[in-house]
Coordinates of all heavy atoms in Angstrom, one line a residue:
M98 N 0.8 -1.2 0.0 CA 0.0 0.0 0.0 C 0.9 1.2 0.0 O 1.9 1.3 0.7 CB -0.9 0.0 1.2 CG -1.9 1.1 1.2 SD -3.0 1.2 2.7 CE -3.5 -0.4 3.1
E99 N 0.6 2.2 -0.8 CA 1.4 3.4 -0.9 C 1.1 4.3 0.3 O 0.0 4.2 0.9 CB 1.2 4.1 -2.2 CG -0.2 4.5 -2.5 CD -0.4 5.1 -3.9 OE1 -0.2 4.3 -4.8 OE2 -0.6 6.3 -4.0
L100 N 1.9 5.3 0.5 CA 1.8 6.2 1.6 C 0.6 7.0 1.6 O -0.1 7.2 2.6 CB 3.1 7.1 1.7 CG 3.1 8.0 2.9 CD1 3.1 7.3 4.2 CD2 4.3 8.9 2.8
F101 N 0.2 7.6 0.4 CA -1.0 8.4 0.3 C -2.3 7.6 0.7 O -3.1 8.1 1.4 CB -1.1 9.0 -1.1 CG -2.3 9.8 -1.2 CD1 -2.4 11.1 -0.6 CD2 -3.4 9.4 -2.0 CE1 -3.5 11.9 -0.8 CE2 -4.5 10.2 -2.2 CZ -4.6 11.4 -1.6
S102 N -2.3 6.4 0.3 CA -3.5 5.6 0.6 C -3.6 5.3 2.1 O -4.7 5.3 2.6 CB -3.4 4.3 -0.3 OG -4.5 3.4 0.0
L103 N -2.4 5.0 2.7 CA -2.4 4.7 4.1 C -2.8 5.9 4.9 O -3.6 5.8 5.9 CB -1.0 4.3 4.5 CG -0.8 4.0 6.0 CD1 -1.7 2.8 6.4 CD2 0.7 3.7 6.3
V104 N -2.3 7.1 4.5 CA -2.7 8.4 5.2 C -4.2 8.6 5.1 O -4.9 9.0 6.0 CB -1.8 9.5 4.7 CG1 -2.4 10.9 5.2 CG2 -0.4 9.4 5.1
R105 N -4.7 8.4 3.9 CA -6.1 8.6 3.6 C -7.0 7.7 4.5 O -8.0 8.1 5.0 CB -6.4 8.4 2.1 CG -7.7 8.9 1.7 CD -7.9 8.7 0.2 NE -8.3 7.3 0.0 CZ -8.0 6.7 -1.1 NH1 -7.3 7.2 -2.1 NH2 -8.3 5.4 -1.2
E106 N -6.6 6.4 4.6 CA -7.3 5.4 5.4 C -7.3 5.8 6.9 O -8.3 5.8 7.5 CB -6.7 4.0 5.2 CG -7.0 3.4 3.9 CD -8.5 3.1 3.7 OE1 -9.1 2.6 4.7 OE2 -9.0 3.2 2.6
I107 N -6.1 6.3 7.4 CA -6.0 6.6 8.8 C -6.8 7.9 9.0 O -7.5 8.0 10.1 CB -4.5 6.8 9.2 CG1 -3.9 5.4 9.1 CG2 -4.4 7.5 10.5 CD1 -2.4 5.5 9.3
A108 N -6.8 8.9 8.2 CA -7.5 10.1 8.3 C -9.0 9.9 8.3 O -9.8 10.4 9.1 CB -7.1 11.2 7.3
G109 N -9.5 9.1 7.4 CA -10.9 8.7 7.3 C -11.4 8.0 8.5 O -12.4 8.3 9.1
L110 N -10.6 7.0 9.0 CA -10.9 6.3 10.2 C -10.9 7.2 11.4 O -11.8 7.1 12.3 CB -10.0 5.1 10.4 CG -10.3 4.1 11.5 CD1 -11.6 3.5 11.3 CD2 -9.2 3.1 11.7
G111 N -10.0 8.1 11.5 CA -9.9 9.1 12.6 C -11.2 9.9 12.7 O -11.7 10.2 13.8
L112 N -11.6 10.4 11.5 CA -12.9 11.2 11.5 C -14.1 10.4 11.9 O -15.0 10.9 12.6 CB -13.1 11.8 10.1 CG -12.2 13.0 9.8 CD1 -12.3 13.4 8.3 CD2 -12.4 14.2 10.7
I113 N -14.1 9.1 11.5 CA -15.3 8.3 11.8 C -15.3 8.0 13.3 O -16.3 8.1 14.0 CB -15.2 7.0 11.0 CG1 -15.5 7.3 9.6 CG2 -16.2 5.9 11.6 CD1 -15.2 6.1 8.6
V114 N -14.1 7.7 13.9 CA -14.0 7.5 15.3 C -14.3 8.8 16.1 O -14.9 8.7 17.2 CB -12.6 7.0 15.7 CG1 -12.4 6.9 17.2 CG2 -12.4 5.5 15.1
L115 N -13.9 9.9 15.6 CA -14.2 11.2 16.2 C -15.7 11.5 16.2 O -16.2 12.3 17.1 CB -13.4 12.3 15.5 CG -13.4 13.7 16.1 CD1 -12.7 13.6 17.5 CD2 -12.6 14.7 15.2
A116 N -16.5 11.0 15.3 CA -17.9 11.2 15.3 C -18.6 10.5 16.4 O -19.7 11.0 16.9 CB -18.5 10.7 13.9
V117 N -18.1 9.4 16.9 CA -18.8 8.6 17.9 C -19.1 9.4 19.2 O -20.2 9.4 19.7 CB -18.0 7.3 18.3 CG1 -18.6 6.6 19.4 CG2 -18.0 6.4 17.0
P118 N -18.1 10.2 19.8 CA -18.5 11.0 21.0 C -19.6 12.0 20.8 O -20.4 12.2 21.7 CB -17.2 11.7 21.3 CG -16.1 10.9 20.7 CD -16.7 10.3 19.5
F119 N -19.7 12.5 19.6 CA -20.8 13.5 19.3 C -22.2 12.7 19.3 O -23.1 13.3 19.9 CB -20.6 14.2 18.0 CG -19.5 15.2 18.0 CD1 -18.3 14.9 17.6 CD2 -19.8 16.5 18.5 CE1 -17.3 15.9 17.7 CE2 -18.8 17.4 18.6 CZ -17.6 17.2 18.2
F120 N -22.2 11.6 18.8 CA -23.5 10.8 18.8 C -23.8 10.4 20.3 O -25.0 10.5 20.7 CB -23.4 9.5 18.0 CG -23.5 9.8 16.5 CD1 -22.4 9.4 15.6 CD2 -24.5 10.5 15.9 CE1 -22.5 9.7 14.3 CE2 -24.6 10.7 14.6 CZ -23.6 10.3 13.8
L121 N -22.8 10.0 21.0 CA -23.0 9.7 22.4 C -23.5 10.9 23.2 O -24.3 10.8 24.1 CB -21.7 9.1 23.0 CG -21.4 7.7 22.5 CD1 -20.0 7.2 23.1 CD2 -22.4 6.7 22.9
A122 N -22.9 12.0 23.0 CA -23.2 13.3 23.7 C -24.7 13.6 23.4 O -25.4 14.1 24.3 CB -22.3 14.4 23.3
G123 N -25.1 13.5 22.2 CA -26.5 13.8 21.8 C -27.4 12.8 22.5 O -28.5 13.2 23.0
T124 N -27.1 11.6 22.6 CA -27.9 10.6 23.2 C -28.0 10.9 24.7 O -29.1 10.8 25.3 CB -27.4 9.2 23.0 OG1 -27.3 8.9 21.6 CG2 -28.2 8.1 23.7
V125 N -26.9 11.2 25.4 CA -26.9 11.5 26.8 C -27.7 12.8 27.0 O -28.5 12.8 28.0 CB -25.4 11.7 27.3 CG1 -25.4 12.3 28.7 CG2 -24.7 10.3 27.3
G126 N -27.6 13.8 26.2 CA -28.4 15.0 26.3 C -29.9 14.7 26.2 O -30.7 15.3 26.9
L127 N -30.2 13.8 25.3 CA -31.6 13.4 25.1 C -32.2 12.8 26.4 O -33.3 13.0 26.8 CB -31.8 12.5 23.9 CG -33.2 12.0 23.6 CD1 -34.1 13.1 23.2 CD2 -33.1 10.9 22.5
L128 N -31.4 11.9 27.0 CA -31.8 11.2 28.2 C -31.7 12.0 29.5 O -32.5 11.8 30.4 CB -31.0 9.9 28.3 CG -31.1 8.9 27.2 CD1 -30.2 7.8 27.4 CD2 -32.5 8.4 27.0
R129 N -30.8 13.0 29.6 CA -30.6 13.6 30.8 C -31.1 15.0 31.0 O -31.3 15.5 32.1 CB -29.1 13.7 31.1 CG -28.4 12.3 31.2 CD -28.7 11.6 32.4 NE -28.2 12.4 33.6 CZ -28.5 12.2 34.8 NH1 -29.3 11.2 35.1 NH2 -28.0 12.9 35.8
F130 N -31.3 15.8 29.9 CA -31.8 17.1 30.0 C -33.2 17.2 30.5 O -34.0 16.3 30.2 CB -31.6 17.9 28.7 CG -30.2 18.3 28.5 CD1 -29.7 18.4 27.2 CD2 -29.3 18.6 29.5 CE1 -28.4 18.8 26.9 CE2 -28.0 19.0 29.3 CZ -27.6 19.1 28.0
P131 N -33.6 18.2 31.3 CA -34.9 18.3 31.9 C -36.1 18.6 31.1 O -37.2 18.1 31.3 CB -34.7 19.4 33.0 CG -33.7 20.3 32.4 CD -32.7 19.4 31.6
D132 N -35.9 19.4 30.1 CA -37.1 19.8 29.3 C -36.9 19.5 27.8 O -35.8 19.2 27.3 CB -37.5 21.3 29.5 CG -36.5 22.2 29.0 OD1 -35.3 21.8 29.0 OD2 -36.8 23.4 28.8
T133 N -38.0 19.6 27.1 CA -38.0 19.3 25.7 C -37.1 20.1 24.8 O -36.4 19.6 23.9 CB -39.5 19.4 25.1 OG1 -40.3 18.6 26.0 CG2 -39.6 18.9 23.7
L134 N -37.1 21.5 25.1 CA -36.3 22.3 24.2 C -34.8 22.1 24.3 O -34.1 22.1 23.3 CB -36.6 23.8 24.6 CG -38.1 24.2 24.3 CD1 -38.3 25.7 24.7 CD2 -38.4 24.0 22.8
T135 N -34.3 21.8 25.5 CA -32.9 21.5 25.7 C -32.6 20.1 25.1 O -31.5 19.9 24.6 CB -32.5 21.6 27.2 OG1 -33.3 20.7 28.0 CG2 -32.5 23.0 27.7
R136 N -33.5 19.2 25.2 CA -33.3 17.9 24.6 C -33.2 18.0 23.1 O -32.3 17.4 22.4 CB -34.4 17.0 25.0 CG -34.4 16.5 26.4 CD -35.6 15.7 26.7 NE -35.5 15.3 28.1 CZ -36.5 14.7 28.7 NH1 -37.6 14.4 28.1 NH2 -36.4 14.4 30.0
I137 N -34.1 18.8 22.5 CA -34.0 19.0 21.0 C -32.7 19.6 20.6 O -32.1 19.2 19.6 CB -35.2 19.9 20.6 CG1 -36.5 19.2 20.7 CG2 -35.0 20.3 19.1 CD1 -37.7 20.2 20.5
H138 N -32.2 20.6 21.4 CA -31.0 21.3 21.1 C -29.8 20.3 21.1 O -29.0 20.3 20.2 CB -30.8 22.4 22.1 CG -29.5 23.2 21.8 ND1 -29.4 24.1 20.8 CD2 -28.3 23.2 22.5 CE1 -28.2 24.6 20.8 NE2 -27.5 24.0 21.8
A139 N -29.8 19.5 22.2 CA -28.7 18.5 22.3 C -28.7 17.5 21.1 O -27.6 17.3 20.6 CB -28.8 17.8 23.6
V140 N -29.8 17.0 20.8 CA -29.9 16.0 19.8 C -29.5 16.6 18.4 O -28.7 16.0 17.6 CB -31.3 15.3 19.7 CG1 -31.4 14.5 18.5 CG2 -31.4 14.5 21.0
T141 N -30.1 17.7 18.0 CA -29.9 18.3 16.7 C -28.5 18.7 16.5 O -27.9 18.5 15.5 CB -30.9 19.4 16.4 OG1 -30.8 20.4 17.4 CG2 -32.3 18.9 16.3
K142 N -27.9 19.4 17.5 CA -26.5 19.9 17.3 C -25.5 18.8 17.3 O -24.7 18.7 16.4 CB -26.2 20.9 18.4 CG -27.1 22.1 18.5 CD -27.1 22.9 17.2 CE -28.1 24.0 17.3 NZ -28.6 24.5 16.0
A143 N -25.6 17.9 18.3 CA -24.5 16.9 18.4 C -24.6 15.9 17.3 O -23.6 15.5 16.7 CB -24.7 16.2 19.7
D144 N -25.8 15.5 16.9 CA -26.0 14.5 15.8 C -25.6 15.1 14.4 O -25.1 14.4 13.6 CB -27.4 14.0 15.8 CG -27.7 13.0 16.9 OD1 -26.7 12.6 17.6 OD2 -28.8 12.6 17.1
N145 N -25.9 16.4 14.2 CA -25.5 17.0 13.0 C -24.0 17.1 12.8 O -23.4 16.8 11.8 CB -26.1 18.4 12.8 CG -27.6 18.4 12.5 OD1 -28.1 17.4 12.0 ND2 -28.2 19.4 12.8
V146 N -23.3 17.4 13.9 CA -21.8 17.5 13.9 C -21.3 16.0 13.7 O -20.3 15.8 12.9 CB -21.2 18.1 15.1 CG1 -19.7 18.0 15.2 CG2 -21.6 19.6 15.1
G147 N -21.8 15.1 14.5 CA -21.4 13.7 14.4 C -21.6 13.1 13.0 O -20.7 12.5 12.4
L148 N -22.7 13.4 12.4 CA -23.0 12.9 11.0 C -22.1 13.6 10.0 O -21.6 13.0 9.1 CB -24.4 13.1 10.6 CG -24.9 12.6 9.3 CD1 -24.7 11.1 9.2 CD2 -26.3 12.9 9.0
G149 N -21.8 14.9 10.2 CA -20.8 15.6 9.3 C -19.4 15.0 9.4 O -18.8 14.8 8.3
L150 N -19.0 14.6 10.6 CA -17.7 14.0 10.7 C -17.7 12.6 10.1 O -16.7 12.2 9.4 CB -17.3 13.9 12.2 CG -16.9 15.2 12.8 CD1 -16.7 15.1 14.3 CD2 -15.6 15.8 12.2
L151 N -18.8 11.9 10.3 CA -18.9 10.5 9.7 C -18.9 10.6 8.2 O -18.2 9.8 7.5 CB -20.2 9.9 10.2 CG -20.4 8.5 9.8 CD1 -19.4 7.5 10.4 CD2 -21.9 8.1 10.2
V152 N -19.6 11.5 7.6 CA -19.7 11.6 6.2 C -18.3 12.1 5.6 O -17.8 11.5 4.6 CB -20.8 12.7 5.7 CG1 -20.6 13.1 4.3 CG2 -22.1 12.1 6.0
A153 N -17.6 13.0 6.3 CA -16.3 13.4 5.9 C -15.3 12.2 5.9 O -14.5 12.0 5.0 CB -15.8 14.5 6.8
G154 N -15.4 11.4 7.0 CA -14.5 10.2 7.0 C -14.8 9.2 5.9 O -13.9 8.7 5.3
L155 N -16.1 9.0 5.6 CA -16.4 8.1 4.6 C -16.0 8.6 3.2 O -15.6 7.8 2.3 CB -17.9 7.8 4.6 CG -18.4 7.0 5.8 CD1 -20.0 6.9 5.8 CD2 -17.8 5.6 5.8
I156 N -16.1 9.9 3.0 CA -15.7 10.5 1.7 C -14.2 10.3 1.5 O -13.7 10.0 0.5 CB -16.2 12.0 1.6 CG1 -17.7 12.0 1.4 CG2 -15.4 12.7 0.5 CD1 -18.2 13.4 1.5
I157 N -13.5 10.6 2.6 CA -12.0 10.5 2.5 C -11.6 9.0 2.2 O -10.7 8.8 1.4 CB -11.3 11.0 3.8 CG1 -11.5 12.5 3.8 CG2 -9.9 10.6 3.9 CD1 -11.0 13.2 5.1
R158 N -12.2 8.1 2.9 CA -11.9 6.7 2.7 C -12.3 6.2 1.3 O -11.7 5.3 0.8 CB -12.5 5.8 3.8 CG -11.9 6.1 5.1 CD -12.3 5.1 6.1 NE -11.6 3.8 5.8 CZ -12.0 2.7 6.3 NH1 -13.0 2.6 7.1 NH2 -11.3 1.6 6.0
N159 N -13.5 6.7 0.8 CA -14.0 6.1 -0.4 C -13.3 6.7 -1.7 O -12.9 6.0 -2.6 CB -15.5 6.3 -0.5 CG -16.1 5.6 -1.6 OD1 -15.5 5.0 -2.5 ND2 -17.5 5.7 -1.7
W160 N -13.2 8.1 -1.7 CA -12.5 8.8 -2.8 C -13.2 8.6 -4.1 O -12.6 8.6 -5.2 CB -11.1 8.3 -2.8 CG -10.2 9.4 -3.2 CD1 -9.5 9.5 -4.5 CD2 -9.7 10.5 -2.5 NE1 -8.7 10.6 -4.5 CE2 -8.8 11.3 -3.3 CE3 -10.0 11.0 -1.2 CZ2 -8.2 12.4 -2.9 CZ3 -9.4 12.1 -0.8 CH2 -8.5 12.8 -1.6
S161 N -14.5 8.5 -4.2 CA -15.3 8.4 -5.4 C -16.2 9.6 -5.5 O -17.0 9.8 -4.6 CB -16.1 7.1 -5.4 OG -17.0 7.1 -6.4
P162 N -16.2 10.3 -6.6 CA -17.0 11.5 -6.8 C -18.5 11.2 -6.7 O -19.3 11.9 -6.1 CB -16.7 12.0 -8.1 CG -15.3 11.5 -8.4 CD -15.2 10.2 -7.8
A163 N -18.9 10.1 -7.3 CA -20.4 9.7 -7.2 C -20.8 9.4 -5.8 O -21.9 9.9 -5.4 CB -20.6 8.6 -8.2
V164 N -20.1 8.6 -5.1 CA -20.5 8.2 -3.8 C -20.4 9.4 -2.8 O -21.2 9.6 -2.0 CB -19.6 7.0 -3.3 CG1 -19.9 6.7 -1.8 CG2 -19.9 5.8 -4.1
S165 N -19.3 10.2 -3.1 CA -19.2 11.4 -2.3 C -20.4 12.4 -2.4 O -20.9 12.9 -1.4 CB -17.9 12.2 -2.6 OG -16.8 11.4 -2.4
A166 N -20.9 12.5 -3.6 CA -22.0 13.4 -3.9 C -23.3 12.8 -3.2 O -24.1 13.5 -2.6 CB -22.3 13.5 -5.4
E167 N -23.4 11.5 -3.2 CA -24.6 10.9 -2.6 C -24.5 11.1 -1.0 O -25.5 11.4 -0.4 CB -24.6 9.4 -2.9 CG -25.0 9.0 -4.2 CD -25.0 7.5 -4.5 OE1 -25.0 6.7 -3.5 OE2 -25.0 7.1 -5.7
L168 N -23.3 10.9 -0.5 CA -23.1 11.1 1.0 C -23.4 12.5 1.4 O -24.1 12.8 2.4 CB -21.7 10.7 1.4 CG -21.5 9.2 1.4 CD1 -20.0 8.9 1.6 CD2 -22.3 8.5 2.5
L169 N -22.9 13.5 0.6 CA -23.2 14.9 0.9 C -24.7 15.2 0.8 O -25.2 16.0 1.6 CB -22.4 15.8 -0.1 CG -20.9 15.9 0.3 CD1 -20.2 16.6 -0.8 CD2 -20.7 16.5 1.6
L170 N -25.4 14.6 -0.2 CA -26.8 14.8 -0.4 C -27.5 14.3 0.8 O -28.5 14.9 1.4 CB -27.3 14.2 -1.7 CG -28.8 14.3 -1.9 CD1 -29.2 15.8 -2.1 CD2 -29.2 13.5 -3.1
I171 N -27.2 13.1 1.3 CA -27.8 12.5 2.5 C -27.6 13.4 3.7 O -28.5 13.6 4.4 CB -27.2 11.1 2.7 CG1 -27.7 10.1 1.6 CG2 -27.6 10.6 4.1 CD1 -27.0 8.8 1.6
W172 N -26.4 13.9 3.8 CA -26.1 14.8 5.0 C -26.9 16.0 5.0 O -27.5 16.4 6.0 CB -24.6 15.1 5.0 CG -24.2 15.9 6.2 CD1 -24.5 15.7 7.5 CD2 -23.4 17.1 6.2 NE1 -23.9 16.6 8.3 CE2 -23.2 17.5 7.5 CE3 -22.8 17.8 5.2 CZ2 -22.5 18.6 7.9 CZ3 -22.1 19.0 5.5 CH2 -22.0 19.4 6.8
V173 N -27.0 16.7 3.8 CA -27.8 17.9 3.7 C -29.3 17.6 3.9 O -30.0 18.4 4.6 CB -27.7 18.5 2.3 CG1 -28.7 19.6 2.0 CG2 -26.2 19.1 2.1
L174 N -29.8 16.5 3.4 CA -31.2 16.1 3.7 C -31.5 15.9 5.2 O -32.5 16.2 5.7 CB -31.6 15.0 2.8 CG -31.7 15.2 1.3 CD1 -32.0 13.9 0.6 CD2 -32.8 16.3 1.1
V175 N -30.5 15.2 5.8 CA -30.7 14.9 7.3 C -30.6 16.2 8.1 O -31.4 16.4 9.0 CB -29.6 13.9 7.8 CG1 -29.6 13.8 9.3 CG2 -29.9 12.6 7.2
L176 N -29.7 17.2 7.6 CA -29.7 18.5 8.3 C -31.0 19.2 8.2 O -31.5 19.8 9.2 CB -28.6 19.3 7.7 CG -27.1 19.0 8.0 CD1 -26.2 19.9 7.2 CD2 -26.9 19.2 9.5
A177 N -31.6 19.2 7.0 CA -32.8 19.9 6.8 C -34.0 19.2 7.5 O -34.8 19.9 8.1 CB -33.2 19.9 5.3
A178 N -34.0 17.9 7.5 CA -35.0 17.2 8.3 C -34.9 17.4 9.8 O -35.9 17.6 10.5 CB -35.0 15.7 8.0
G179 N -33.7 17.4 10.3 CA -33.5 17.6 11.7 C -33.9 19.0 12.1 O -34.6 19.2 13.2
A180 N -33.6 20.0 11.3 CA -33.9 21.4 11.6 C -35.5 21.6 11.6 O -36.1 22.2 12.4 CB -33.2 22.3 10.7
T181 N -36.1 21.0 10.6 CA -37.5 21.1 10.4 C -38.3 20.4 11.6 O -39.2 21.0 12.2 CB -38.0 20.5 9.1 OG1 -37.3 21.2 8.0 CG2 -39.5 20.7 8.9
A182 N -37.9 19.2 11.9 CA -38.5 18.5 13.0 C -38.3 19.2 14.3 O -39.2 19.3 15.1 CB -38.0 17.0 13.1
G183 N -37.1 19.7 14.6 CA -36.8 20.4 15.8 C -37.6 21.6 15.9 O -38.2 22.0 17.0
H184 N -37.8 22.4 14.8 CA -38.6 23.6 14.8 C -40.1 23.3 15.1 O -40.7 23.9 15.9 CB -38.5 24.3 13.5 CG -39.4 25.5 13.3 ND1 -39.1 26.7 14.0 CD2 -40.5 25.7 12.7 CE1 -40.0 27.5 13.7 NE2 -40.9 27.0 12.9
L185 N -40.6 22.2 14.4 CA -42.0 21.8 14.6 C -42.3 21.4 16.1 O -43.3 21.8 16.7 CB -42.4 20.7 13.7 CG -42.5 21.2 12.2 CD1 -42.7 20.0 11.3 CD2 -43.6 22.2 12.0
I186 N -41.3 20.6 16.6 CA -41.5 20.2 18.0 C -41.4 21.4 19.0 O -42.2 21.5 19.9 CB -40.5 19.1 18.4 CG1 -40.7 17.8 17.6 CG2 -40.5 18.8 19.9 CD1 -39.6 16.8 17.7
A187 N -40.5 22.3 18.8 CA -40.3 23.5 19.6 C -41.5 24.4 19.5 O -42.0 24.9 20.6 CB -39.1 24.2 19.2
R188 N -42.1 24.6 18.3 CA -43.3 25.4 18.2 C -44.5 24.8 18.9 O -45.2 25.4 19.5 CB -43.6 25.6 16.7 CG -44.7 26.6 16.5 CD -44.9 27.0 15.1 NE -45.1 25.9 14.3 CZ -45.5 25.9 13.0 NH1 -45.6 27.1 12.4 NH2 -45.7 24.8 12.3
S189 N -44.6 23.5 18.8 CA -45.7 22.8 19.5 C -45.5 22.9 21.0 O -46.5 23.1 21.7 CB -45.7 21.3 19.1 OG -46.6 20.6 19.8
V190 N -44.3 22.8 21.5 CA -44.1 23.0 23.0 C -44.4 24.4 23.4 O -45.1 24.6 24.4 CB -42.7 22.6 23.3 CG1 -42.3 23.1 24.7 CG2 -42.4 21.1 23.2
Q191 N -44.0 25.4 22.6 CA -44.3 26.8 22.9 C -45.8 27.1 22.9 O -46.3 27.8 23.7 CB -43.6 27.7 22.0 CG -42.1 27.8 22.1 CD -41.7 28.4 23.5 OE1 -42.5 29.2 24.1 NE2 -40.5 28.1 23.9
Q192 N -46.5 26.5 22.0 CA -48.0 26.7 21.9 C -48.7 26.0 23.0 O -49.8 26.5 23.4 CB -48.5 26.3 20.5 CG -48.1 27.2 19.4 CD -48.5 26.7 18.0 OE1 -49.0 25.6 17.9 NE2 -48.3 27.5 17.0
S193 N -48.2 24.9 23.5 CA -48.9 24.2 24.5 C -48.7 24.8 25.9 O -49.4 24.5 26.8 CB -48.5 22.7 24.5 OG -47.2 22.6 24.9
R194 N -47.7 25.7 26.1 CA -47.5 26.3 27.4 C -48.6 27.3 27.6 O -49.1 28.0 26.7 CB -46.1 27.0 27.4 CG -45.0 26.0 27.4 CD -43.7 26.7 27.6 NE -42.6 25.7 27.7 CZ -41.3 26.1 27.6 NH1 -41.0 27.3 27.6 NH2 -40.4 25.1 27.7
E195 N -48.8 27.5 28.9 CA -49.8 28.5 29.3 C -49.3 29.9 29.1 O -48.1 30.2 29.3 CB -50.2 28.4 30.8 CG -50.9 27.1 31.1 CD -51.3 27.0 32.6 OE1 -51.4 28.0 33.2 OE2 -51.5 25.9 33.0
P196 N -50.1 30.8 28.6 CA -49.7 32.2 28.4 C -49.4 32.9 29.7 O -50.0 32.6 30.7 CB -50.8 32.9 27.7 CG -52.0 32.0 27.9 CD -51.5 30.6 28.2
P197 N -48.4 33.8 29.7 CA -48.1 34.5 31.0 C -49.2 35.3 31.5 O -49.9 35.9 30.7 CB -46.8 35.3 30.7 CG -46.8 35.4 29.2 CD -47.5 34.2 28.6
A198 N -49.4 35.4 32.8 CA -50.6 36.2 33.3 C -50.3 37.6 33.4 O -49.2 38.1 33.5 CB -50.9 35.6 34.7

């Protein structure tokens, strides 16, 4: 194996391993935070960063333009879906609270 290929494999694996703590942090935030809004914040932020690192690691390891484009499209769609779902849940929580007296 040539040096460039070895460095690419190690860098890709490093990014994939670096993504794991972000997924774990999002999960812990979902389970431990007291209210819905902080839970949404923990899950959306940590999972988006984790997925971004995971996609970057897979792109570096794969090195194919077609697969890279697919992975980036998946990441963008997940970002949009997470933001939309988080917004809808937060708006629902805000509307269900009692108005201030």
Side-chain angles (χ1 to χ4, degrees):
M98 187 182 316
E99 61 185 65
L100 181 62
F101 180 71
S102 179
L103 180 64
V104 170
R105 197 177 76 211
E106 288 291 322
I107 291 172
L110 186 61
L112 287 172
I113 292 169
V114 169
L115 190 61
V117 172
F119 285 97
F120 288 122
L121 290 175
T124 303
V125 169
L127 177 66
L128 298 174
R129 298 288 297 169
F130 283 149
D132 64 335
T133 305
L134 296 178
T135 54
R136 289 178 181 170
I137 292 170
H138 180 76
V140 169
T141 55
K142 300 302 177 204
D144 285 353
N145 287 338
V146 173
L148 184 61
L150 289 170
L151 182 67
V152 165
L155 290 173
I156 287 173
I157 289 172
R158 290 191 73 196
N159 190 354
W160 213 254
S161 166
V164 174
S165 299
E167 288 179 18
L168 288 170
L169 287 173
L170 178 64
I171 290 169
W172 183 50
V173 168
L174 291 175
V175 169
L176 286 174
T181 303
H184 176 76
L185 290 173
I186 294 170
R188 187 171 58 172
S189 174
V190 167
Q191 289 292 339
Q192 288 176 352
S193 68
R194 290 184 177 173
E195 293 182 19

